[in-house]
Amino acid sequence: MQLHFSPSMRSITILSSNSNNGGFIDLMKIKVAARHLSYRTLFHTILILAFLLPFVFILTALVTLEGVDKCSSFGLWNRNMYILFFIAGAKISRIMGLWLHSKLKYCLGRRLGPRLLGRVDDSERLVKDFYKVLNQVDTEEIPDGLKLPDSFSELVSEMKNNQYDAKTFGFMLRAMMEKFEREIRESKFAELMNKHFAASSIPKGIHCLSLRLTDEYSSNAHARRQLPSPELLPLLSDNSYHHFILSTDNILAASVVVTSAVQSSLKPEKIVFHVITDKKTYAGMHSWFALNPVSPAIVEVKGIHQFDWLTRENVPVLEAVENHDGIRNYYHGNHVAGANLSDTTPRTFASKLQARSPKYISLLNHLRIYIPELFPHLDKVVFLDDDIVIQRDLSPLWEIDLGGKVNGAVETCRGEDEWVMSKRFRNYFNFSHPLIAKHLDPEECAWAYGMNIFDLRAWRKTNIRETYHSWLKESNLTMWKLGTLPPALIAFKGHVHPIDPLWHLLGLGYQNKTSIESVKKAAVIHYNGQSKPWLQIGFEHLRPFWAKYVNYSNDFVRNCHILET
C-alpha cells in the first residue's frame, strides 16, 4: 500500500497494488479541508483508513461473488474472519488480498467471461439442445425397423459401440418405454382375466368336500337324519325366535356363517337358520349340518326343488334369463372378444368382469326377492350372503324400528373409498338409456345387499316383487350392471331404512387396504368382491377373520386337503 500527498497537502491518494497478481489496483482519493487540519489528525485518519479499507474491500468482493455457482463465499468468509482476528495487522491486508484477488478473478471470469465474448455456458447450451431433441422425438414418428434392446444397460452398451446421436438415443428410449407400457398393460389385463376365472371357479377342496358329503348322505343314515328333529319343527315358524336366511351352494362358506353367528350370539338357543341350496348340493349340505350340529341353535336345510312355490310360472324371469342366448353368452362367453382394451382402463375392465360373474344368473342369487312367499309364516328375518362373517350378537337387529319400511340396510354413499362405500345410482345404471333417465335419480344413495333386515309383513303389502320382475324383463344388458343389485335398487326404491354402518362392513373382497381396526369393530364383515377368503386370491391379512371359524380338524375337511393358511 502506498500513500501520495499532493504538493498543496489538500488531497491524499491511497494506492494498493500487487504486481504478482495481475496488477489489481485499489485507488482512493481523500480531499482534506484547507483549514483546521493538524498533522496529528491527518496521521490518525490515515491510520484508521489503512485498517478499515481491507474490510471494505472484503465485504465488497463477497457481495459481488455471492450467488455465483460454486463460488459462494459464505463459508470461506466465516473461516477467514476467524483467522483474521488472530493475525497481526499488516498480514491481514496481504493474506486477504491474495485470497480475494484469486477468488474474485476466478468467479468473475467464470461468470462474466463467456457473456462478454457473446457465448453461453456449455451446460446451459447442452440442456437447451437436449430439450430440443426431446421435443422432436416426442412429435415425430418412431422410425420403422428400429431394433430395441431389452434393457437399459444394453441400450447404454449399444450407444457406446455404435456412437448413436442424441436423436437416435431419444427414439430408442421412447420406443422402449412404449413397448414396456404395452407389456405392463397387457399383463394387467391378463391378471384381471385370471382373477376373474379364479373367482368364478370352484376350488378343488370345496368341490371335494361337496362330493364326499354327498356320498356320505347316500351311505350314512345319520347324515340323512331329519333337520331339525321332529319336536323342533314348530320353531321354524315361531316369530319369537331370530330367523336367519342363507342361500348358497358353498358348504364350507355356509358352515362359517352359521358357526360365527352361533359363537357370537348371547342367546344362541334363540337362533334359527334356514339354509337354502340347489339340488346338486342339497345332499352334501344336509350331511354337513347333520354330522356337525350347532346346538343349541336350530338349522333347517332345504333345496330349491323342495319349495312348491318355486315354479316356472312364478319365476318367469329366470327362465327367460337362462334361455336367452345373448345373456348366457354375456356371462359365460369370451370376455375379451370385442372389448377395446386400448380405450379401457384396468379398473373399468375389472368392474365389467365383476358384473359378468355367472352367479348373477343363478336362481340362488335371485332367491331373496321371493322370501315373503317362501316363508309365509315369518314376520321378520335377517338375510345373509355366504361371504360374510358375524362377529357380534345380532339379536338387536330385531329391535330396530324400520318405520314401516321393508328393508333395513347400510347405505353405501357415505364413505370415501371409490370401490365400495361411495356408490350412488349413477355407479350402477346407464343414465343415457331413456327409461333409466326418466325414472331414476343418478345422485340417489345406493345400499348394500348381504346383511339385510326384512320386515316381511310390510313387504307383503307392496309390489316389490312385481317391480323387480318388470324391470328385469326390460333389461337387455344396456341399462345396468352388477347382477341382482340394480333391479333390487329399483324394486326397493322408497322402502329402505338406513341402519348404522357398524352393523355391516363391506369391501373385504375388493381392497386389501381395509382397516384392520374397522374390521374388528364391525358386527358383520362382508367379503364382497372377487377375493373371497376361501380362494388363493383372497387377501392374506383379512383371511384370518374368516378362517378362525373353519373346523380344520374335521375329517372331511382334512381329507379334502383344505388347509389353514
Side-chain angles (χ1 to χ4, degrees), residues 9 22 33 69 90 113 222 229 286 290 302 304 380 422 437 454 494 547 549:
M9 297 297 291
D69 294 341
H222 190 61
S229 55
H286 188 105
K302 295 197 73 173
I304 291 176
K380 203 170 191 178
S422 58
F454 289 132
Y549 295 105

Side-chain angles (χ1 to χ4, degrees), residues 314-515:
N314 292 327
V315 194
V317 175
L318 293 177
E319 182 177 12
V321 168
E322 291 175 355
N323 295 334
H324 193 289
D325 291 338
I327 293 179
R328 291 190 62 81
N329 184 65
Y330 178 80
Y331 288 105
H332 294 282
N334 188 337
H335 301 325
V336 178
N340 188 0
L341 298 183
S342 60
D343 293 334
T344 304
T345 64
R347 176 172 175 172
T348 302
F349 187 63
S351 179
K352 290 181 178 180
L353 287 178
Q354 172 69 14
R356 297 175 76 163
S357 173
K359 72 177 184 179
Y360 292 133
I361 57 173
S362 165
L363 177 57
L364 289 174
N365 203 47
H366 289 269
L367 202 62
R368 67 195 81 187
I369 203 67
Y370 306 117
I371 288 176
E373 289 77 23
L374 299 180
F375 299 95
H377 302 294
L378 296 181
D379 295 337
K380 203 170 191 178
V381 300
V382 169
F383 177 85
L384 300 172
D385 275 350
D386 64 358
D387 53 355
I388 63 101
V389 174
I390 299 168
Q391 303 185 125
R392 280 209 330 255
D393 178 44
L394 297 186
S395 58
L397 291 177
W398 275 262
E399 306 302 322
I400 294 177
D401 182 7
L402 298 182
K405 304 293 185 180
V406 173
N407 180 4
V410 169
E411 292 183 319
T412 55
C413 66
R414 310 298 182 187
E416 296 180 356
D417 66 285
E418 296 180 0
W419 276 106
V420 181
M421 297 303 293
S422 58
K423 301 295 187 183
R424 297 182 181 272
F425 274 28
R426 65 172 179 266
N427 299 108
Y428 296 100
F429 296 96
N430 175 18
F431 277 89
S432 63
H433 195 288
L435 281 178
I436 297 296
K438 180 180 178 181
H439 292 91
L440 301 180
D441 177 7
E443 297 304 314
E444 186 167 345
C445 189
W447 47 267
Y449 253 161
M451 198 286 291
N452 302 85
I453 313 161
F454 289 132
D455 185 337
L456 302 185
R457 289 177 298 180
W459 191 338
R460 294 185 184 103
K461 298 175 183 177
T462 69
N463 60 347
I464 289 175
R465 177 168 59 91
E466 289 73 19
T467 303
Y468 186 90
H469 279 173
S470 63
W471 276 93
L472 204 58
K473 287 178 181 179
E474 293 289 340
S475 174
N476 59 357
L477 306 178
T478 63
M479 296 171 64
W480 60 64
K481 61 180 181 179
L482 294 179
T484 53
L485 181 56
L489 291 174
I490 301 175
F492 283 99
K493 184 175 170 54
H495 299 290
V496 178
H497 177 80
I499 62 174
D500 194 318
L502 287 177
W503 284 113
H504 186 190
L505 177 66
L506 297 103
L508 276 70
Y510 277 118
Q511 45 197 9
N512 60 1
K513 295 181 180 179
T514 302
S515 167

Side-chain angles (χ1 to χ4, degrees), residues 192-227:
L192 292 172
M193 280 300 305
N194 291 334
K195 190 173 183 179
H196 173 72
F197 292 139
S200 303
S201 62
I202 301 174
K204 182 179 179 181
I206 292 179
H207 182 62
C208 165
L209 183 65
S210 180
L211 292 177
R212 285 180 175 269
L213 287 168
T214 299
D215 181 66
E216 192 72 11
Y217 183 86
S218 63
S219 59
N220 185 346
H222 190 61
R224 296 192 302 272
R225 70 182 180 89
Q226 184 174 348
L227 289 178

